[in-house]
């Protein structure tokens, strides 16, 4: 097991537990998608793994080492890279400069240049646009740049929080294609997605988180075809919480 989250509780400040005993088991080279309603604690879970939030109890174990009390920069250096929802680019720097900044801790600049060329092979559009300011990229390209920045550090695990957020459907599809490419390259991916179907399609294994607890888990393709998961968590508009029975089209507009 590469990364294990064992029965972790966490919350903000003196507030209540947002994560209420969450567990994950992440194997090397596999991809995972965490789905669940708004406010379930998905982003909080990723923030806790990367050290932005300390677990109140439970353990986070990476390559056999407990990460609980490490700072975010230490966890990053261990090999866990987090691409947050807001993408954290330097908007007034070029694509190339954003990539150079991502690797500023690397002392071997030749190696850094080589790594940049490698991410350009994965995301050819970024090579074309390397001199363009990040803020002038399309939403999809910005997301690709955010992923590319993470890859510069050759992380063991890349965690992506809602990479398709705010993107037009066709652009979102490009981003999902990029994630599949990373998967094919053997990356270990931990993805949180509001677009649960598309997210699960990129994953080997799915976790459903609800109210800060593990609710279901299983092979991603099984979750995609599980009637209960479908009814509760798939194919509903963002922002709706599961509320028991869903009305079907067959019931007709007049409810008959
Ligand atoms: N910085 C914060 N301070 C206090 N409470 C927070 C903070 N960030 C999130 N929360 C609370 O934690 C709970 C879980 O939020 P979180 O962002 O982890 O959910 P999520 O599953 O990622 O939801 P979404 O699908 O909307 O992104 C929410 O009730 C939220 O209000
Ligand atoms: Mg979130």
């Amino acid at each position: 097991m590469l990364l294990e989250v064992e029965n972790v509780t966490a919350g903000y400040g003196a507030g209540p537990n947002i994560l209420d005993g969450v567990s994950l088991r992440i194997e090397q080279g596999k991809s995972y998608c965490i789905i669940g309603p708004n406010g379930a604690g998905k982003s909080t879970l990723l923030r806790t793994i990367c050290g932005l939030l300390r677990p109140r109890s439970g353990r986070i174990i990476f390559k056999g080492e407990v990460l609980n009390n490490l700072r975010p920069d230490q966890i990053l250096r261990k090999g866990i890279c987090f691409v947050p929802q807001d993408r954290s680019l330097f908007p007034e720097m070029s694509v190339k400069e954003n990539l150079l900044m991502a690797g500023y801790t690397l002392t071997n600049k030749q190696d850094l240049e080589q790594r940049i060329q490698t991410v350009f092979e994965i995301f050819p559009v970024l090579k074309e646009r390397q001199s363009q300011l990040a803020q002038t990229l399309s939403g999809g390209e910005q997301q690709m740049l955010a992923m590319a920045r993470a890859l510069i550090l050759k992380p063991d695990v890349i965690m992506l929080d809602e990479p398709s957020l705010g993107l037009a459907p066709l652009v979102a599809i490009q981003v999902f294609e990029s994630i599949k490419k990373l998967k094919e390259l053997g990356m270990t991916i931990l993805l949180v997605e509001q677009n649960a179907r598309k997210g699960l399609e990129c994953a080997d294994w799915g976790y459903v988180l609800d109210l800060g607890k593990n609710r279901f888990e299983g092979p991603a393709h099984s979750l995609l075809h599980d009637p209960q998961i479908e009814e509760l968590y798939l194919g509903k508009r963002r922002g709706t919480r599961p509320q028991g029975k869903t009305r079907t089209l067959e019931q007709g507009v007049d409810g008959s």
Side-chain angles (χ1 to χ4, degrees), residues 5 13 46 64 66 89 107 163 184 187 197-198 240 245:
V5 175
L46 297 192
V66 176
L89 299 175
T107 44
E184 281 158 21
M187 285 288 318
R197 278 181 202 280
K198 285 274 180 284
T240 55
K245 279 251 172 276

Side-chain angles (χ1 to χ4, degrees), residues 113-139:
E113 189 58 41
Q114 185 55 49
R115 290 177 187 215
I116 291 175
Q117 294 309 317
T118 305
V119 300
F120 281 161
E121 281 166 30
I122 303 173
F123 304 105
V125 67
L126 296 181
K127 183 172 187 179
E128 282 166 34
R129 301 186 182 280
Q130 58 180 296
S131 311
Q132 202 170 312
L133 297 188
Q135 65 188 1
T136 66
L137 296 176
S138 73

Side-chain angles (χ1 to χ4, degrees), residues 40-194:
K42 305 180 297 296
S43 298
T44 301
L45 176 56
L46 297 192
R47 282 184 210 126
T48 307
I49 294 171
C50 77
L52 292 169
L53 208 59
R54 292 262 163 106
R56 288 174 177 167
S57 65
R59 295 196 306 171
I60 298 171
I61 305 162
F62 182 59
K63 296 179 181 168
E65 184 187 353
V66 176
L67 299 185
N68 287 41
N69 294 312
L70 298 188
R71 295 187 310 267
D73 60 300
Q74 293 172 315
I75 292 174
L76 176 65
R77 243 173 284 132
K78 300 269 177 208
I80 300 178
C81 206
F82 175 45
V83 180
Q85 225 163 283
D86 68 11
R87 293 168 195 158
S88 301
L89 299 175
F90 297 105
E92 290 176 20
M93 287 188 183
S94 71
V95 167
K96 180 79 183 271
E97 286 163 344
N98 266 274
L99 295 171
L100 287 167
M101 284 300 286
Y104 82 99
T105 52
L106 302 172
T107 44
N108 183 340
K109 296 305 164 197
Q110 216 174 338
D111 177 37
L112 175 55
E113 189 58 41
Q114 185 55 49
R115 290 177 187 215
I116 291 175
Q117 294 309 317
T118 305
V119 300
F120 281 161
E121 281 166 30
I122 303 173
F123 304 105
V125 67
L126 296 181
K127 183 172 187 179
E128 282 166 34
R129 301 186 182 280
Q130 58 180 296
S131 311
Q132 202 170 312
L133 297 188
Q135 65 188 1
T136 66
L137 296 176
S138 73
E141 289 161 356
Q142 289 189 20
Q143 183 60 46
M144 289 178 202
L145 179 55
M147 291 195 265
R149 280 175 49 94
L151 294 180
I152 289 289
L153 295 172
K154 294 191 181 168
D156 296 297
V157 180
I158 181 167
M159 301 197 296
L160 306 169
D161 196 0
E162 310 254 14
S164 80
L165 191 70
L167 301 181
L170 280 176
V171 182
I173 286 171
Q174 290 171 3
V175 168
F176 288 118
E177 290 304 317
S178 306
I179 295 169
K180 286 181 191 160
K181 210 186 238 180
L182 299 186
K183 176 171 155 47
E184 281 158 21
L185 290 170
M187 285 288 318
T188 308
I189 302 167
L190 186 49
L191 168 68
V192 163
E193 245 315 316
Q194 31 122 5

